[in-house]
Amino acid sequence: MVDLDGAKDGVRINDQVVIEAAKLPVKVQIGGGIRTREDIEHYLSNGVSRVIIGSLAIRNPELAVSFIEEFGAEKIVIGIDAKDGMAATEGWIETSSQSATDVAKFFASKGAKHFIYTDIATDGTLQGPNIDANKKLVSAGQAEVIVSGGIGTLDDIRSVKKAAAGSPIAGVIIGKALYEKRFTLEEALSC
């Protein structure tokens, strides 16, 4: 889940909805608006499985590393949103001077085990994921990567699965394609 309002405003906004979802018999990970230790503790103590650190990881990497150390690499996911290969922050409003691969290398060297990579150019387009950028990130970080952005067909999921063979690509995030009923969750899971 992503609190897009929180990502843009830099504070938790839709946290109660996330906490309600975490009561269901599913694992929930949340990103957006998470900027403090208290934000992380709030979610984790209310049943959320993993917390995604994005903008904070770019702006204050030392603090993000301290969160990995304190809460554990299984609880903290580094979210890398990229535009033309450069890491973006604040709900995609600002682009940093760091490449996505450099961010992945840094955090992998500090113990991060999980990344979500969103290619801003493909997100919401339903035109297919940026497989090459994801492969580049995987080789840079050597940690588990979840592909986000562009999934519009079952063939897109299959292409990620094919690219994942022998690599730490762990899965895909599907949003708009499900909302628009291009396929069902069951069909996606069968891929």
Side-chain angles (χ1 to χ4, degrees), residues 42-134:
H42 173 72
Y43 283 120
L44 294 178
S45 67
N46 281 290
V48 172
S49 299
R50 290 183 178 160
V51 175
I52 306 163
I53 305 293
S55 295
L56 173 70
I58 305 303
R59 287 189 290 105
N60 193 340
E62 294 80 17
L63 184 58
V65 168
S66 76
F67 293 152
I68 294 169
E69 292 168 351
E70 180 178 354
F71 295 101
E74 289 303 322
K75 296 290 183 185
I76 303 296
V77 178
I78 302 299
I80 304 174
D81 301 334
K83 184 175 184 178
D84 299 323
M86 304 305 285
T89 62
E90 312 309 322
W92 303 352
I93 296 169
E94 298 177 22
T95 303
S96 78
S97 60
Q98 296 175 284
S99 74
T101 53
D102 286 345
V103 172
K105 284 178 188 176
F106 172 79
F107 281 106
S109 77
K110 300 297 183 182
K113 293 184 178 181
H114 305 282
F115 293 93
I116 293 177
Y117 179 73
T118 303
D119 179 14
I120 294 170
T122 62
D123 195 67
T125 66
L126 304 170
Q127 299 299 311
N130 186 337
I131 299 289
D132 291 338
N134 278 281

Side-chain angles (χ1 to χ4, degrees), residues 3 8-9 27 51 59 76 128 139 154 173:
D3 180 351
K8 289 179 183 169
D9 293 350
K27 291 183 179 182
V51 175
R59 287 189 290 105
I76 303 296
S139 62
L154 294 173
I173 292 177

Side-chain angles (χ1 to χ4, degrees), residues 154-166:
L154 294 173
D155 283 340
D156 292 336
I157 298 170
R158 290 182 191 103
S159 71
V160 171
K161 185 175 181 179
K162 182 179 177 185

